[in-house]
Amino acid sequence: MSITPSLVASRTSGAAPLYVHFDATATDSTATTYEFHECKFTWSFGDASAGTFSTTGKSRNTAYGPMAAHVFESGGTFTVTLTVKDTDGTTASTTQDIVVTASDAAWPTTSTTVVSQTGTWTGEPTGATRLQTSNWADVVALIASNRRILLRRGETWTVTSSTTIPRTATVGYFGSFGSGTVATITCGTAGVTIFTLNGDDWRFCDLLIQGNNSGISVSSGFNLNNAYNTSGTDGYGVRNILISRCEVRYCVDNIGGAVWYVGANVLVSKLCCSYESNVHHGPSGSYNYGWSANGLYHAILGSNFSYGGGPGGGHNIRLSVWSHFILSHSVVSHNQSSLRLSLKLHSEVAYVAWWPYSHKAVISDCSSTGGSSQTYGFDVGPQDMGSAEDLRDILVERCWVKCAQRPFVLGAVLRGTIRNCIAQNTSFIQDDFYGIWVTRYGVAQVPDRIWVYNNTIYDDRTRAGDTKSGVLISNGTNVTVRNNYASFPGAAGIESAVTDSTGTALVSNNTVTDTPGFATAGSNFHLVAGSAAINTGSAVATVYDDYDNVTRVANYEQGAFEYASGGDPGTAIIWGVVT
């Protein structure tokens, strides 16, 4: 048996902070034809000082999955190592050097301008050009290629029209300098996009971007693809945009980007990233999103996306025309109405001639707390029941999602995996509960080749007559469900580990019990001695580790966690954060 690993970096050099997307989906193994789902991909970014994610406490220097992304925040040469393991135990590695220029070297004195309304320059980069002004138009006039613009921390700028990064301005940086709270850019004018991004390779760091929370609908904090490639040859809009350590709030689309037609081209943004940022609700009462930027090779890393808005707010993260999407180490929550989702991935039938399906998503190490009436949590499937919005190659692992009825949904997916996840109810009394739902959605394709392994499902509500199932298969072919562990203590209706409406799924070693043997039911799902999950699983070659990235060993456990011998339930876990 052999593996030929493939490592494709979106770029191999650039200025810090540098967002790089890594793609290993062309890896070939003689042990499987489904490498995306069945091989273990381990990434080391060679960035020893990267630290840990604020959301999960896990290392930023390591990632898992057939795609990964990293932000290099300092200068140097970093050797990225990809190691691939297949179901036969064969391993192979490959490397790629990434050369990063430190920010001060990339934008030296002649390229950096510090701006202060009060003429306070403490903390400025050595030799930077100074500009004292209270006029935002003076700041806008600085925008150009190879330009770094730093606003004084603690100062607030009010804008009434969109600030555009033109197509001719590339390789730039907008941020804060000094100490204290970050600089604020605020807008209270209806219909305005605060930043319209047409120029490539810009970084926005340490800023507060905010609209108005008093019913005035500011269109967007950032619009990521209100542009096109002037050569018209590649069909992409703006690319290489990094939003790092920012707070974006109170806009209809906090980070948005629709699909655009330019001549014969359909254009979307490419290679855009939210990193360690906080993005939350829009103007009260409006239909709004945290991230609605369609595009290719986007990533959301270590970010906190709170609910979509006021009453009736939109989905928190929603994509319809996309590929190679990464959502990792992020908190994505929504506490509004039943049909507003924390995460919605679908396709778009309107562009089917150019984009027949959306595909390749890795969703890992994330958490979500839904509102008391939120029906769905993470939903991958058509938006319109009457449209053939097909999706392919979805991998969800090590995620913890709470909502009222269906935490995880795979609808109309060709090749999808959910493993080592936790599906949990909210406290609201509402009808039936299905931790993981595999279904067709209207006229879209029937789900095919779906793998549901080693998930923990929990619902402690006690309303009589409710139906509860760990996994519900309403439609699907070639569906395999193994080692899932469900508990519905006090349930007064019908309960099951798996409900297979198709009668064709391969189902084994799944358990439902009222006495699950969790460390703390509802908040810590590690196993304690005597749990029915211990040594009752089957060997699944494609499940290499558990929720904590602990190696799976024989004898195998059911559910998301391996048992720690000696009865130690492990560290407590609170919404994906190890404490």
Side-chain angles (χ1 to χ4, degrees), residues 169-211:
T170 61
V171 194
Y173 186 119
F174 237 111
S176 297
F177 79 95
S179 60
T181 58
V182 300
T184 298
I185 303 170
T186 186
C187 179
T189 304
V192 168
T193 293
I194 296 176
F195 278 103
T196 298
L197 307 181
N198 296 345
D200 295 341
D201 203 6
W202 275 79
R203 300 135 183 85
F204 295 84
C205 307
D206 302 297
L207 296 169
L208 170 57
I209 309 295
Q210 68 176 12

Side-chain angles (χ1 to χ4, degrees), residues 33 73 117 189 191 211 257 274 334 412 420 432 463 479 544 563 575:
T33 57
E73 298 188 80
Q117 297 170 355
T189 304
S274 168
H334 201 311
N420 291 327
D432 305 330
R463 193 173 77 165
V479 179
Y544 301 88
Y563 172 62
W575 304 125

Side-chain angles (χ1 to χ4, degrees), residues 223-362:
N223 188 303
L224 294 184
N225 64 329
N226 198 11
Y228 61 92
N229 187 303
T230 54
S231 66
T233 58
D234 64 6
Y236 302 127
V238 68
R239 69 200 72 192
N240 290 317
I241 300 297
L242 173 64
I243 300 169
S244 173
R245 305 182 191 279
C246 289
E247 182 173 358
V248 190
R249 64 188 186 187
Y250 306 154
C251 300
V252 174
D253 286 313
N254 282 302
I255 303 174
V259 180
W260 287 74
Y261 283 103
V262 177
N265 290 328
V266 179
L267 310 178
V268 291
S269 54
K270 184 178 181 182
L271 293 163
C272 302
C273 176
S274 168
Y275 174 70
E276 290 282 357
S277 291
N278 293 311
V279 182
H280 52 102
H281 58 89
S284 178
S286 69
Y287 195 98
N288 47 77
Y289 302 97
W291 176 295
S292 63
N294 292 294
L296 317 181
Y297 301 93
H298 290 347
I300 298 174
L301 307 175
S303 294
N304 190 327
F305 281 69
S306 60
Y307 75 101
H315 309 317
N316 208 335
I317 297 175
R318 176 184 178 181
L319 297 176
S320 61
V321 176
W322 55 272
S323 77
H324 298 79
F325 173 65
I326 298 170
L327 174 63
S328 185
H329 295 281
S330 293
V331 178
V332 186
S333 298
H334 201 311
N335 66 355
Q336 290 298 313
S337 59
S338 61
L339 296 179
R340 306 297 178 245
L341 313 180
S342 295
L343 171 67
K344 178 65 178 179
L345 298 181
H346 61 108
S347 198
E348 181 58 74
V349 72
Y351 308 110
V352 68
W354 176 76
W355 197 253
Y357 51 83
S358 292
H359 64 119
K360 293 188 174 64
V362 173

